[in-house]
Amino acid sequence: MSALNTYILRIADDSLILGQRLSELCGHGPAIEEDIALTNVALDLIGQATSLYEYAAEIQNGGKTSDDLAFLRLEHQYLNTLLVEQPNGDFGMTIVRQWLFDTFRLPFYEALQQSKDAQIAGIAEKALKETRYHWRHSSEWVIRLGDGTEESHYRVQEALNFLYKYVDELFYMDDIDKEMIEKGIGVDLESLRPAFNERLKHVLEASTLSMPAYEWKLKGGRVGRHTEHLGHILTELQYMQRAYPNLQW
Amino acid sequence: MVSSDFIWKLLDEVPDPEIPVLSVVDLGIVRSVNVIDEKNIAVVVTPTYSGCPAVKAIENSIREKLIESGFEPSITTSLSPAWNTDWITERGRERLKAYGIAPPVDEVDKNVLFADAPVVPCPRCNSSNTRMISQFGSTACKAHYQCNECLEPFDYFKCLK
Ligand SMILES: [Zn+2]
Protein backbone atom coordinates (compact mmCIF):
# COMPACT_ATOMS: atom_id res chain seq x y z
CA MET A 1 0.00 0.00 0.00
CA SER A 2 1.43 3.38 -0.97
CA ALA A 3 2.09 6.12 1.57
CA LEU A 4 -0.52 8.30 -0.15
CA ASN A 5 -3.10 5.56 0.20
CA THR A 6 -2.38 5.12 3.92
CA TYR A 7 -2.41 8.86 4.40
CA ILE A 8 -5.87 9.16 2.84
CA LEU A 9 -7.26 6.21 4.80
CA ARG A 10 -6.15 7.72 8.10
CA ILE A 11 -8.14 10.88 7.42
CA ALA A 12 -11.09 8.97 5.98
CA ASP A 13 -11.27 6.49 8.86
CA ASP A 14 -11.40 9.28 11.44
CA SER A 15 -14.36 10.74 9.59
CA LEU A 16 -16.14 7.44 9.05
CA ILE A 17 -15.82 6.12 12.59
CA LEU A 18 -16.83 9.39 14.23
CA GLY A 19 -19.67 9.69 11.73
CA GLN A 20 -20.79 6.18 12.65
CA ARG A 21 -20.59 6.99 16.37
CA LEU A 22 -22.74 10.09 15.93
CA SER A 23 -25.19 8.15 13.78
CA GLU A 24 -25.90 5.95 16.80
CA LEU A 25 -27.59 9.01 18.29
CA CYS A 26 -30.10 9.31 15.46
CA GLY A 27 -33.44 9.23 17.25
CA HIS A 28 -31.70 9.28 20.63
CA GLY A 29 -30.44 12.86 20.90
CA PRO A 30 -31.19 14.70 24.16
CA ALA A 31 -33.51 17.13 22.30
CA ILE A 32 -34.88 17.15 18.78
CA GLU A 33 -32.61 20.04 17.70
CA GLU A 34 -29.54 18.22 19.03
CA ASP A 35 -30.62 14.97 17.47
CA ILE A 36 -30.78 16.76 14.12
CA ALA A 37 -27.53 18.66 14.69
CA LEU A 38 -25.52 15.56 15.61
CA THR A 39 -26.86 13.54 12.71
CA ASN A 40 -26.13 16.44 10.33
CA VAL A 41 -22.55 16.43 11.56
CA ALA A 42 -22.49 12.65 11.07
CA LEU A 43 -23.70 13.08 7.51
CA ASP A 44 -20.99 15.63 6.71
CA LEU A 45 -18.33 13.34 8.18
CA ILE A 46 -19.53 10.28 6.28
CA GLY A 47 -19.67 12.41 3.13
CA GLN A 48 -16.07 13.49 3.64
CA ALA A 49 -15.09 9.86 4.20
CA THR A 50 -16.87 8.84 0.99
CA SER A 51 -14.91 11.37 -1.10
CA LEU A 52 -11.66 10.18 0.46
CA TYR A 53 -12.44 6.45 0.03
CA GLU A 54 -13.37 7.05 -3.60
CA TYR A 55 -10.02 8.69 -4.15
CA ALA A 56 -8.16 5.94 -2.28
CA ALA A 57 -9.94 3.26 -4.32
CA GLU A 58 -9.01 5.11 -7.50
CA ILE A 59 -5.29 5.32 -6.70
CA GLN A 60 -5.18 1.71 -5.42
CA ASN A 61 -6.45 0.81 -8.85
CA GLY A 62 -7.03 -2.78 -7.73
CA GLY A 63 -10.72 -3.04 -8.55
CA LYS A 64 -11.75 -2.10 -5.02
CA THR A 65 -14.58 0.35 -4.50
CA SER A 66 -15.08 2.95 -1.80
CA ASP A 67 -17.64 0.59 -0.24
CA ASP A 68 -15.02 -2.17 -0.02
CA LEU A 69 -12.76 0.19 1.88
CA ALA A 70 -15.50 1.41 4.19
CA PHE A 71 -17.17 -1.92 4.88
CA LEU A 72 -14.87 -4.84 4.21
CA ARG A 73 -11.63 -4.21 6.03
CA LEU A 74 -10.72 -5.92 9.27
CA GLU A 75 -10.37 -4.13 12.57
CA HIS A 76 -6.57 -3.76 12.43
CA GLN A 77 -6.82 -2.30 8.93
CA TYR A 78 -8.74 0.74 10.15
CA LEU A 79 -6.38 3.62 10.85
CA ASN A 80 -8.55 6.04 12.82
CA THR A 81 -7.39 7.62 16.06
CA LEU A 82 -8.56 6.11 19.33
CA LEU A 83 -10.43 9.29 20.23
CA VAL A 84 -13.12 8.92 17.57
CA GLU A 85 -14.00 5.34 18.48
CA GLN A 86 -14.71 6.11 22.14
CA PRO A 87 -18.34 5.51 23.11
CA ASN A 88 -20.87 8.35 23.06
CA GLY A 89 -21.40 8.17 26.83
CA ASP A 90 -23.58 11.00 28.06
CA PHE A 91 -24.15 14.18 26.04
CA GLY A 92 -21.15 15.80 27.74
CA MET A 93 -18.87 12.98 26.55
CA THR A 94 -20.25 13.16 23.00
CA ILE A 95 -19.76 16.92 22.87
CA VAL A 96 -16.27 16.99 24.38
CA ARG A 97 -15.11 14.26 21.98
CA GLN A 98 -16.55 16.27 19.09
CA TRP A 99 -15.04 19.52 20.33
CA LEU A 100 -11.52 18.05 20.64
CA PHE A 101 -11.83 16.56 17.18
CA ASP A 102 -13.27 19.70 15.55
CA THR A 103 -10.61 21.86 17.19
CA PHE A 104 -8.00 19.67 15.53
CA ARG A 105 -9.77 19.37 12.20
CA LEU A 106 -10.12 23.13 11.65
CA PRO A 107 -6.40 23.97 11.41
CA PHE A 108 -5.78 20.59 9.76
CA TYR A 109 -8.15 21.22 6.86
CA GLU A 110 -6.98 24.83 6.61
CA ALA A 111 -3.46 23.51 6.01
CA LEU A 112 -4.55 20.55 3.86
CA GLN A 113 -6.24 22.92 1.42
CA GLN A 114 -2.72 23.84 0.29
CA SER A 115 -1.90 20.22 -0.58
CA LYS A 116 -0.16 19.75 -3.93
CA ASP A 117 -2.53 16.86 -4.53
CA ALA A 118 -5.46 18.62 -6.19
CA GLN A 119 -8.00 15.97 -5.16
CA ILE A 120 -7.01 16.11 -1.49
CA ALA A 121 -6.94 19.91 -1.55
CA GLY A 122 -10.43 19.95 -3.04
CA ILE A 123 -11.83 17.59 -0.40
CA ALA A 124 -10.20 19.68 2.35
CA GLU A 125 -11.56 22.94 0.95
CA LYS A 126 -15.07 21.54 0.99
CA ALA A 127 -14.76 19.83 4.37
CA LEU A 128 -13.38 22.98 6.00
CA LYS A 129 -16.60 24.88 5.31
CA GLU A 130 -18.56 22.13 7.05
CA THR A 131 -16.11 21.81 9.92
CA ARG A 132 -16.56 25.48 10.84
CA TYR A 133 -20.21 24.75 11.64
CA HIS A 134 -19.28 21.65 13.60
CA TRP A 135 -16.65 23.48 15.60
CA ARG A 136 -18.98 26.32 16.51
CA HIS A 137 -21.66 23.89 17.55
CA SER A 138 -19.44 21.73 19.76
CA SER A 139 -17.48 24.66 21.24
CA GLU A 140 -20.61 26.57 22.20
CA TRP A 141 -21.95 23.48 23.92
CA VAL A 142 -18.73 22.93 25.87
CA ILE A 143 -18.99 26.52 27.12
CA ARG A 144 -22.69 26.25 27.95
CA LEU A 145 -22.24 22.99 29.83
CA GLY A 146 -18.96 23.91 31.50
CA ASP A 147 -20.29 27.26 32.61
CA GLY A 148 -23.73 25.81 33.28
CA THR A 149 -24.93 23.98 36.38
CA GLU A 150 -22.80 22.19 38.92
CA GLU A 151 -23.89 18.89 37.41
CA SER A 152 -23.21 19.85 33.77
CA HIS A 153 -19.82 21.29 34.73
CA TYR A 154 -18.92 18.10 36.57
CA ARG A 155 -19.92 15.92 33.65
CA VAL A 156 -18.01 17.76 30.92
CA GLN A 157 -14.95 18.02 33.16
CA GLU A 158 -15.14 14.25 33.72
CA ALA A 159 -15.47 13.73 29.97
CA LEU A 160 -12.44 15.91 29.32
CA ASN A 161 -10.46 14.10 31.99
CA PHE A 162 -11.32 10.78 30.35
CA LEU A 163 -10.71 11.79 26.73
CA TYR A 164 -7.65 13.95 27.15
CA LYS A 165 -5.27 10.97 26.96
CA TYR A 166 -6.36 10.43 23.35
CA VAL A 167 -5.73 14.00 22.18
CA ASP A 168 -2.02 13.69 21.51
CA GLU A 169 -2.61 10.93 18.97
CA LEU A 170 -4.33 13.45 16.70
CA PHE A 171 -0.81 14.81 16.12
CA TYR A 172 0.77 11.39 15.55
CA MET A 173 3.24 11.34 12.66
CA ASP A 174 5.49 8.65 11.23
CA ASP A 175 7.31 7.87 7.97
CA ILE A 176 4.05 8.07 6.04
CA ASP A 177 3.58 11.67 7.13
CA LYS A 178 7.23 12.51 6.50
CA GLU A 179 6.95 11.30 2.93
CA MET A 180 3.69 13.19 2.38
CA ILE A 181 5.13 16.39 3.84
CA GLU A 182 8.24 16.10 1.65
CA LYS A 183 6.04 15.72 -1.41
CA GLY A 184 3.98 18.76 -0.43
CA ILE A 185 0.86 16.60 -0.10
CA GLY A 186 0.55 16.21 3.66
CA VAL A 187 0.46 18.51 6.66
CA ASP A 188 3.14 18.85 9.34
CA LEU A 189 0.84 18.21 12.29
CA GLU A 190 3.38 19.56 14.74
CA SER A 191 2.92 22.98 13.15
CA LEU A 192 -0.79 22.88 14.03
CA ARG A 193 -0.25 22.63 17.78
CA PRO A 194 -0.12 26.39 18.50
CA ALA A 195 -3.43 27.02 16.70
CA PHE A 196 -4.97 23.96 18.35
CA ASN A 197 -3.79 24.92 21.84
CA GLU A 198 -4.97 28.48 21.46
CA ARG A 199 -8.46 27.46 20.40
CA LEU A 200 -8.58 24.91 23.20
CA LYS A 201 -7.49 27.42 25.79
CA HIS A 202 -10.02 30.00 24.63
CA VAL A 203 -12.95 27.63 25.06
CA LEU A 204 -11.59 26.16 28.30
CA GLU A 205 -11.41 29.61 29.87
CA ALA A 206 -14.88 30.57 28.72
CA SER A 207 -16.27 27.27 30.00
CA THR A 208 -14.49 27.45 33.41
CA LEU A 209 -13.15 23.95 32.77
CA SER A 210 -9.59 23.04 33.61
CA MET A 211 -7.01 21.14 31.62
CA PRO A 212 -6.50 17.64 33.06
CA ALA A 213 -3.32 17.45 35.10
CA TYR A 214 -2.04 14.09 33.87
CA GLU A 215 0.59 13.46 31.18
CA TRP A 216 -0.63 9.98 30.24
CA LYS A 217 -1.09 9.48 26.50
CA LEU A 218 -2.52 6.61 24.51
CA LYS A 219 -2.01 5.87 20.83
CA GLY A 220 -2.08 3.01 18.35
CA GLY A 221 -5.05 3.69 16.10
CA ARG A 222 -2.97 5.14 13.28
CA VAL A 223 -1.19 1.79 12.89
CA GLY A 224 -4.29 -0.34 13.44
CA ARG A 225 -4.07 -1.05 17.18
CA HIS A 226 -7.42 -0.12 18.63
CA THR A 227 -9.33 -0.04 21.88
CA GLU A 228 -11.94 -2.73 22.48
CA HIS A 229 -14.62 -0.41 21.10
CA LEU A 230 -13.77 -0.48 17.41
CA GLY A 231 -14.71 -4.13 16.89
CA HIS A 232 -18.17 -3.45 18.27
CA ILE A 233 -18.60 -0.46 15.98
CA LEU A 234 -17.60 -2.56 12.98
CA THR A 235 -20.07 -5.35 13.74
CA GLU A 236 -22.83 -2.79 13.27
CA LEU A 237 -21.18 -0.77 10.50
CA GLN A 238 -20.37 -3.83 8.40
CA TYR A 239 -23.45 -5.92 9.16
CA MET A 240 -25.27 -5.43 5.86
CA GLN A 241 -22.21 -6.06 3.68
CA ARG A 242 -21.26 -9.14 5.70
CA ALA A 243 -24.76 -10.58 5.77
CA TYR A 244 -25.57 -9.71 2.15
CA PRO A 245 -22.24 -9.52 0.29
CA ASN A 246 -22.13 -6.97 -2.54
CA LEU A 247 -25.42 -5.48 -1.45
CA GLN A 248 -26.12 -2.29 -3.39
CA TRP A 249 -28.37 0.62 -2.44
CA MET B 1 -24.58 21.09 -33.66
CA VAL B 2 -26.63 21.73 -30.55
CA SER B 3 -25.64 24.80 -28.54
CA SER B 4 -24.56 24.63 -24.92
CA ASP B 5 -27.31 27.17 -24.17
CA PHE B 6 -29.83 24.56 -25.27
CA ILE B 7 -28.32 22.04 -22.84
CA TRP B 8 -28.35 24.61 -20.02
CA LYS B 9 -32.07 25.16 -20.72
CA LEU B 10 -32.70 21.43 -20.55
CA LEU B 11 -30.85 21.16 -17.25
CA ASP B 12 -32.89 24.09 -15.95
CA GLU B 13 -35.88 21.74 -16.14
CA VAL B 14 -34.24 19.27 -13.73
CA PRO B 15 -35.55 19.92 -10.21
CA ASP B 16 -33.52 19.58 -7.04
CA PRO B 17 -34.92 16.42 -5.37
CA GLU B 18 -35.22 18.01 -1.93
CA ILE B 19 -36.32 21.52 -2.94
CA PRO B 20 -38.23 20.86 -6.17
CA VAL B 21 -39.01 24.54 -6.83
CA LEU B 22 -35.30 24.98 -7.55
CA SER B 23 -33.66 23.63 -10.66
CA VAL B 24 -30.17 22.19 -10.43
CA VAL B 25 -29.08 25.29 -12.38
CA ASP B 26 -30.75 27.66 -9.86
CA LEU B 27 -28.85 25.88 -7.12
CA GLY B 28 -25.54 26.49 -8.87
CA ILE B 29 -24.41 22.89 -8.80
CA VAL B 30 -24.02 22.53 -12.57
CA ARG B 31 -20.54 23.94 -13.10
CA SER B 32 -20.03 23.44 -16.81
CA VAL B 33 -21.59 22.01 -19.93
CA ASN B 34 -19.43 20.89 -22.83
CA VAL B 35 -20.97 19.89 -26.13
CA ILE B 36 -18.48 17.41 -27.57
CA ASP B 37 -20.48 16.47 -30.67
CA GLU B 38 -24.09 15.88 -31.80
CA LYS B 39 -24.58 13.19 -29.20
CA ASN B 40 -21.98 13.48 -26.48
CA ILE B 41 -22.45 16.01 -23.72
CA ALA B 42 -20.07 16.38 -20.77
CA VAL B 43 -21.53 17.91 -17.63
CA VAL B 44 -19.60 18.82 -14.49
CA VAL B 45 -21.51 19.03 -11.21
CA THR B 46 -20.39 19.84 -7.69
CA PRO B 47 -22.07 18.72 -4.44
CA THR B 48 -23.48 21.25 -1.98
CA TYR B 49 -22.35 19.36 1.13
CA SER B 50 -19.99 16.35 1.21
CA GLY B 51 -22.64 14.03 2.59
CA CYS B 52 -25.62 15.43 0.71
CA PRO B 53 -27.68 12.33 -0.10
CA ALA B 54 -29.25 14.14 -3.06
CA VAL B 55 -26.02 14.19 -5.06
CA LYS B 56 -26.50 10.76 -6.65
CA ALA B 57 -30.17 11.48 -7.30
CA ILE B 58 -29.26 14.75 -9.01
CA GLU B 59 -26.68 13.04 -11.21
CA ASN B 60 -29.25 10.44 -12.20
CA SER B 61 -31.89 13.06 -12.99
CA ILE B 62 -29.46 15.00 -15.18
CA ARG B 63 -28.48 11.81 -16.96
CA GLU B 64 -32.10 10.80 -17.53
CA LYS B 65 -33.03 14.23 -18.82
CA LEU B 66 -30.23 14.26 -21.37
CA ILE B 67 -30.86 10.66 -22.45
CA GLU B 68 -34.57 11.25 -23.01
CA SER B 69 -33.60 14.24 -25.15
CA GLY B 70 -31.45 11.96 -27.31
CA PHE B 71 -27.99 12.70 -25.89
CA GLU B 72 -25.27 10.54 -24.41
CA PRO B 73 -24.19 12.34 -21.27
CA SER B 74 -21.05 11.87 -19.23
CA ILE B 75 -21.27 13.41 -15.79
CA THR B 76 -18.31 14.10 -13.57
CA THR B 77 -18.17 15.51 -10.06
CA SER B 78 -15.77 18.25 -9.16
CA LEU B 79 -15.05 19.31 -5.57
CA SER B 80 -12.93 22.38 -6.17
CA PRO B 81 -13.75 25.21 -6.18
CA ALA B 82 -16.15 24.20 -3.44
CA TRP B 83 -19.82 25.05 -3.86
CA ASN B 84 -20.99 28.11 -1.96
CA THR B 85 -24.32 29.83 -1.58
CA ASP B 86 -23.28 32.78 -3.77
CA TRP B 87 -23.80 30.40 -6.67
CA ILE B 88 -27.56 30.24 -6.07
CA THR B 89 -29.11 32.37 -8.80
CA GLU B 90 -31.24 35.45 -8.13
CA ARG B 91 -34.25 33.60 -9.50
CA GLY B 92 -33.37 30.67 -7.23
CA ARG B 93 -33.46 32.98 -4.20
CA GLU B 94 -36.88 34.31 -5.16
CA ARG B 95 -38.19 30.79 -5.66
CA LEU B 96 -36.83 29.69 -2.28
CA LYS B 97 -38.60 32.55 -0.52
CA ALA B 98 -41.88 31.91 -2.35
CA TYR B 99 -41.57 28.26 -1.27
CA GLY B 100 -41.25 29.29 2.40
CA ILE B 101 -37.48 28.85 2.78
CA ALA B 102 -35.53 31.99 3.66
CA PRO B 103 -32.68 32.43 1.15
CA PRO B 104 -29.09 32.83 2.40
CA VAL B 105 -27.99 36.20 3.77
CA ASP B 106 -24.41 37.26 4.43
CA GLU B 107 -23.27 35.92 7.76
CA VAL B 108 -20.79 36.80 10.43
CA ASP B 109 -17.37 35.26 10.86
CA LYS B 110 -17.74 31.58 11.71
CA ASN B 111 -14.68 31.75 13.94
CA VAL B 112 -16.61 33.73 16.54
CA LEU B 113 -18.43 31.76 19.19
CA PHE B 114 -21.89 32.85 20.31
CA ALA B 115 -21.93 35.44 17.53
CA ASP B 116 -25.40 36.88 16.93
CA ALA B 117 -27.30 34.72 14.48
CA PRO B 118 -27.80 36.44 11.12
CA VAL B 119 -30.96 38.50 10.78
CA VAL B 120 -33.12 36.43 8.47
CA PRO B 121 -36.43 37.96 7.32
CA CYS B 122 -39.46 35.70 7.70
CA PRO B 123 -40.42 34.30 4.29
CA ARG B 124 -44.12 34.53 5.25
CA CYS B 125 -44.55 38.04 6.67
CA ASN B 126 -41.15 39.62 5.88
CA SER B 127 -40.58 40.63 9.51
CA SER B 128 -36.94 40.77 10.56
CA ASN B 129 -37.99 39.94 14.11
CA THR B 130 -37.02 36.26 13.89
CA ARG B 131 -34.80 33.96 15.90
CA MET B 132 -32.58 31.01 15.19
CA ILE B 133 -33.76 27.80 16.86
CA SER B 134 -30.83 25.67 15.68
CA GLN B 135 -27.99 26.15 13.22
CA PHE B 136 -28.80 22.68 11.93
CA GLY B 137 -32.07 21.92 10.19
CA SER B 138 -34.01 19.37 8.17
CA THR B 139 -31.20 18.97 5.63
CA ALA B 140 -27.47 19.72 5.69
CA CYS B 141 -27.99 23.04 3.90
CA LYS B 142 -30.60 24.48 6.27
CA ALA B 143 -30.89 26.03 9.71
CA HIS B 144 -34.07 26.22 11.76
CA TYR B 145 -35.69 29.59 12.51
CA GLN B 146 -38.91 30.93 13.93
CA CYS B 147 -40.67 34.25 13.29
CA ASN B 148 -41.43 36.22 16.45
CA GLU B 149 -44.20 38.18 14.71
CA CYS B 150 -46.31 35.60 12.91
CA LEU B 151 -44.83 32.67 14.93
CA GLU B 152 -44.23 30.66 11.77
CA PRO B 153 -41.33 28.20 12.09
CA PHE B 154 -39.30 28.19 8.89
CA ASP B 155 -36.21 26.79 7.22
CA TYR B 156 -33.30 29.06 6.43
CA PHE B 157 -30.97 28.10 3.60
CA LYS B 158 -27.80 28.86 5.50
CA CYS B 159 -24.90 30.77 4.08
CA LEU B 160 -21.94 28.59 3.13
CA LYS B 161 -18.78 30.36 2.06
ZN1 LIG C 1 -43.36 35.94 10.06
Side-chain angles (χ1 to χ4, degrees), chain B residues 51-114:
Chain B
C52 181
V55 172
K56 284 281 175 262
I58 288 171
E59 270 190 45
N60 289 340
S61 313
I62 291 176
R63 184 172 290 110
E64 272 168 30
K65 184 77 188 174
L66 291 173
I67 289 172
E68 79 190 28
S69 307
F71 298 106
E72 284 175 19
S74 70
I75 298 164
T76 47
T77 303
S78 153
L79 293 176
S80 181
W83 179 85
N84 67 81
T85 39
D86 285 348
W87 292 355
I88 301 176
T89 62
E90 209 42 56
R91 192 188 60 179
R93 284 161 206 271
E94 284 158 18
R95 284 179 172 179
L96 273 174
K97 184 164 183 278
Y99 191 57
I101 299 173
V105 296
D106 270 333
E107 282 180 22
V108 290
D109 186 356
K110 299 234 167 32
N111 291 318
V112 179
L113 295 176
F114 293 110

Side-chain angles (χ1 to χ4, degrees), chain A residues 36 40 125-126 129-130 133 140, chain B residues 48 50 80 82 114 137 159:
Chain A
I36 291 169
N40 263 290
E125 183 192 343
K126 181 137 210 65
K129 293 181 197 297
E130 298 160 356
Y133 276 104
E140 289 178 358
Chain B
T48 52
S50 300
S80 181
F114 293 110
C159 180

Side-chain angles (χ1 to χ4, degrees), chain A residues 14-33:
Chain A
D14 272 356
S15 299
L16 177 73
I17 299 302
L18 187 54
Q20 175 72 13
R21 268 293 187 226
L22 292 174
S23 306
E24 291 171 15
L25 291 163
C26 185
H28 301 273
I32 181 94
E33 288 80 10

Side-chain angles (χ1 to χ4, degrees), chain B residues 121-130 146-154:
Chain B
C122 170
R124 305 275 172 205
C125 75
N126 292 319
S127 167
S128 291
N129 181 13
T130 62
Q146 184 168 22
C147 179
N148 294 329
E149 294 294 339
C150 73
L151 303 181
E152 184 77 10
F154 64 92

